């Protein structure tokens, strides 16, 4: 059941995921019919894959003793969407949730044209490196200005794996942000828009290190149109990116066995259990979603044993420019209506304080005080 925000009465779900498997798509639900996030009785129920990756890492965040985190964290939450884990019953369940948390307002045939092409991953996203004592040590690098002049590049590249997202420029900034990219997170929009938004800073293409793994965040219909073209190796046939050839955007590193699509349950779980913004109770509820940086960080928290986050918002964010590649200027952090950056900032700080992950926070050097005994 869900709260119908228009009349405050209970409305029944259009389908059930229990009992007989549904044979036809449920009638479309529309965002405009809800003035705040609808809450279904299966809202906090998620697909899980068993068993989770075993770890022998003593320092693993999975061993956290923080009660609140342990209660919320699902180590075997289903991370990836593919053709073998969706059927009509699943479609109908996910159609109760707005994008990118589900398929609300989307037509079955439009989305499934792409989903039926997504292969089941042949291996986990990450595996322990030889000689690592079983620990998977990761760095997640955001694009915040706090990294400008940080000289953290060598430290970042020293991790087993490095996650980046969006306009991840490294050339010319290696001293501060490193050069290695193991996992690159993107939406269709972030991959294409970065080419012109960040061109003046030297951005030429998405990271394409040899053997890199790409993870798609399915935030809207345009992503499924992109996926269909990408997986078929063809031009996109419809939508805002019509006639573009997706495979040309990966600089020769696209490989079906190293390409993953996030599952909507993972995104919804992340929002519901860790980033439940007050904006979800407002008329703009459907616009809100966590940032690509937040999604990347949570994927790392579910695939790594230790996570060090660099280039994410901290309490003193006003001291720094919006992006680390903005040199010689001090642009203010941009707050968009579809993200709750303050909630994310406070979450990273909380995780850091509870030793769930390590957040890079810039500290100003203290000025030396003159010894009053010396003259």
């Amino acid at each position: 059941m869900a709260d119908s925000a228009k009349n405050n009465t209970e409305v029944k779900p259009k389908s059930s995921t229990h009992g007989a498997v549904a044979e036809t798509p449920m009638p479309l639900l529309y965002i405009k019919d809800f003035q705040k996030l609808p809450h279904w009785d299966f809202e906090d129920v998620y697909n899980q894959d068993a068993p989770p990756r075993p770890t022998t890492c003593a320092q693993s965040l999975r061993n956290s003793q923080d009660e609140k985190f342990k209660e919320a964290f699902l180590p075997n939450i289903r991370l990836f969407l593919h053709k073998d884990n969706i059927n009509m019953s699943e479609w109908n369940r996910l159609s109760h949730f707005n994008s990118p948390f589900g398929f609300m307002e989307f037509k079955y045939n439009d989305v499934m044209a792409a989903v039926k092409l997504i292969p089941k991953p042949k291996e986990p996203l990450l595996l322990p490196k030889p000689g690592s004592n079983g620990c998977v040590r990761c760095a997640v690098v955001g694009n915040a200005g706090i990294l400008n002049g940080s000289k953290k590049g060598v430290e970042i590249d020293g991790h087993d794996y490095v996650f980046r997202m969006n306009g991840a420029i490294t050339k010319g900034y290696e001293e501060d942000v490193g050069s290695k990219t193991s996992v690159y997170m993107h939406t269709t929009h972030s991959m294409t828009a970065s080419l012109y938004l960040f061109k003046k800073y030297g951005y030429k293409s998405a990271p394409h290190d040899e053997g890199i793994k790409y993870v798609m965040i399915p935030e809207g219909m345009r992503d499924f149109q992109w996926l269909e073209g990408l997986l078929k190796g063809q031009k996109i046939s419809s939508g805002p990116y019509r006639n573009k050839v997706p495979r040309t955007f990966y600089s020769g590193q696209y490989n079906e066995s190293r390409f993953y699509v996030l599952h909507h349950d993972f995104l919804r779980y992340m929002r519901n259990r860790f980033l439940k913004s007050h904006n979800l109770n407002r008329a703009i509820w459907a616009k809100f979603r966590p940032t690509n940086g937040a999604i990347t960080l949570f994927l790392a928290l579910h695939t790594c044993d230790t996570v060090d986050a660099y280039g994410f918002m901290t309490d003193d964010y006003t001291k720094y420019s919006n992006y680390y590649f903005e040199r010689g200027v001090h642009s203010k952090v941009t707050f968009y209506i579809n993200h709750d950056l303050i909630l994310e900032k406070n979450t990273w700080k909380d995780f850091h304080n509870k030793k769930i992950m390590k957040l890079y926070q810039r500290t100003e050097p203290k000025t030396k005080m003159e010894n009053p005994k010396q003259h």
Side-chain angles (χ1 to χ4, degrees):
M1 291 187 178
D3 293 324
S4 174
K6 287 219 166 177
N7 55 22
N8 251 354
T9 59
E10 296 290 330
V11 294
K12 292 183 178 180
K14 305 295 183 184
S15 71
S16 170
T17 55
H18 307 290
V21 176
E23 295 181 355
T24 58
M26 60 178 270
L28 294 183
L29 290 178
Y30 293 94
I31 288 167
K32 65 180 176 59
D33 290 330
F34 301 94
Q35 292 181 351
K36 64 179 181 179
L37 177 72
H39 189 84
W40 308 97
D41 57 5
F42 46 91
E43 176 72 37
D44 199 38
V45 177
Y46 313 97
N47 278 299
Q48 298 184 55
D49 293 322
R53 175 183 62 82
T55 180
T56 57
C57 178
Q59 299 81 38
S60 179
L61 62 94
R62 298 185 183 198
N63 298 330
S64 171
Q65 295 305 302
D66 182 78
E67 290 300 327
K68 185 178 178 182
F69 180 75
K70 283 200 299 182
E71 184 178 350
F73 188 77
L74 295 176
N76 56 335
I77 182 76
R78 180 163 293 168
L79 299 175
F80 304 116
L81 177 71
H82 56 80
K83 61 185 178 180
D84 294 342
N85 65 16
I86 184 123
N87 55 28
M88 191 62 74
S89 180
E90 272 291 276
W91 169 268
N92 286 343
R93 179 182 68 88
L94 290 169
S95 292
H96 290 82
F97 310 113
N98 65 299
S99 182
F101 313 104
F103 300 126
M104 185 183 284
E105 295 194 344
F106 293 169
K107 293 180 180 178
Y108 178 83
N109 288 335
D110 291 345
V111 172
M112 292 305 290
V115 174
K116 286 179 177 177
L117 299 171
I118 303 172
K120 182 178 180 179
K122 292 181 173 62
E123 62 180 51
L125 184 68
L126 305 176
L127 290 169
K129 295 278 190 179
S132 64
N133 298 324
C135 292
V136 177
R137 299 180 174 89
C138 300
V140 182
V141 186
N143 299 327
I146 192 172
L147 283 175
N148 190 346
S150 67
K151 294 183 168 51
K152 286 291 174 178
V154 172
E155 182 179 310
I156 288 169
D157 283 350
H159 290 76
D160 297 332
Y161 300 99
V162 180
F163 289 67
R164 300 183 197 267
M165 76 297 300
N166 300 348
I169 309 171
T170 55
K171 189 170 184 181
Y173 306 90
E174 294 92 344
E175 186 179 25
D176 290 337
V177 304
S179 60
K180 182 169 81 174
T181 306
S182 316
V183 179
Y184 178 68
M185 304 276 292
H186 66 293
T187 62
T188 304
H189 174 71
S190 70
M191 177 167 264
T192 55
S194 293
L195 289 169
Y196 58 84
L197 288 176
F198 305 128
K199 183 179 180 181
K200 62 182 177 181
Y201 302 111
Y203 188 88
K204 295 180 180 178
S205 67
H208 48 274
D209 302 42
E210 186 175 351
I212 191 172
K213 294 186 174 182
Y214 293 104
V215 180
M216 166 72 83
I217 303 167
E219 73 170 349
M221 192 62 228
R222 60 191 176 187
D223 295 289
F224 292 105
Q225 293 162 342
W226 179 273
L227 278 169
E228 186 178 1
L230 177 70
L231 294 164
K232 287 181 175 178
Q234 299 174 354
K235 289 182 180 179
I236 298 172
S237 59
S238 61
Y241 300 102
R242 185 173 179 268
N243 288 331
K244 288 194 180 295
V245 183
R247 290 198 183 183
T248 63
F249 287 79
Y250 297 84
S251 305
Q253 278 301 317
Y254 168 76
N255 184 306
E256 191 177 90
S257 66
R258 291 187 276 107
F259 187 87
Y260 302 75
V261 181
L262 286 182
H263 197 286
H264 299 79
D265 272 11
F266 173 69
L267 296 169
R268 198 175 77 262
Y269 146 82
M270 183 183 122
R271 177 198 69 187
N272 289 351
R273 296 198 173 192
F274 298 99
L275 294 172
K276 198 117 188 196
S277 173
H278 61 88
N279 289 327
L280 296 170
N281 292 317
R282 301 169 61 194
I284 60 167
W285 68 271
K287 295 182 183 295
F288 169 77
R289 73 166 183 83
T291 61
N292 288 358
I295 295 169
T296 303
L297 194 41
F298 270 96
L299 181 61
L301 289 168
H302 285 78
T303 53
C304 309
D305 290 301
T306 65
V307 175
D308 296 334
Y310 303 82
F312 283 80
M313 185 181 279
T314 54
D315 283 342
D316 57 351
Y317 69 90
T318 56
K319 291 181 180 179
Y320 316 109
S321 286
N322 202 9
Y323 300 114
Y324 64 74
F325 39 78
E326 293 176 303
R327 291 179 172 169
V329 298
H330 187 91
S331 66
K332 292 183 178 180
V333 174
T334 305
F335 287 82
Y336 293 103
I337 197 171
N338 61 327
H339 301 311
D340 192 335
L341 295 182
I342 299 302
L343 172 62
E344 292 187 8
K345 171 185 73 70
N346 293 339
T347 302
W348 315 146
K349 182 180 179 182
D350 182 55
F351 282 1
H352 175 83
N353 291 340
K354 292 177 175 177
K355 297 182 169 31
I356 293 162
M357 69 176 206
K358 185 178 177 183
L359 175 68
Y360 170 63
Q361 300 175 82
R362 197 85 169 252
T363 53
E364 297 296 329
K366 294 180 179 178
T367 56
K368 289 185 179 179
M369 297 200 51
E370 185 179 358
N371 189 330
K373 292 183 178 180
Q374 294 178 341
H375 298 283

